Amino acid sequence: RSAAVQSLEHLGIRPLHMTGNGLFLWVDMGCDTDALSARALQDGFVLAPGRYFSATQAASQLMRINVLSFVRSGFAEWLSRH
């Protein structure tokens, strides 16, 4: 978890509501996460845009990131290029 937080902060992305431990972090990506997810899918990363977790299904800049996948999958490196 700390490695994921450190990588995100290096990219200028700050996790929201960091309390305790867990497999997921909520982050403000600073962009439309639907568009980001579509680009990521083209490169083999399956992401869940923030709207999937919203009762209104409205577009969102928020995204829930799985900490283990973020560190191990190469997503951090991909994100640094996009």
Side-chain angles (χ1 to χ4, degrees):
R1 185 175 172 100
S2 61
V5 170
Q6 189 175 28
S7 292
L8 286 164
E9 288 177 342
H10 179 73
L11 296 171
I13 300 168
R14 294 211 154 220
L16 308 172
H17 311 293
M18 288 244 339
T19 57
N21 296 318
L23 291 177
F24 298 99
L25 292 171
W26 277 98
V27 297
D28 185 341
M29 300 301 291
C31 65
D32 177 6
T33 56
D34 284 328
L36 180 66
S37 296
R39 287 193 312 268
L41 187 58
Q42 292 175 350
D43 291 330
F45 296 101
V46 178
L47 306 177
R51 71 179 176 84
Y52 288 0
F53 303 95
S54 167
T56 63
Q57 297 291 296
S60 176
Q61 293 189 52
L62 302 180
M63 180 171 279
R64 188 179 83 162
I65 294 178
N66 180 299
V67 173
L68 292 175
S69 325
F70 183 79
V71 174
R72 294 183 180 165
S73 69
F75 179 61
E77 291 81 16
W78 180 88
L79 191 57
S80 71
R81 296 188 308 269
H82 292 83

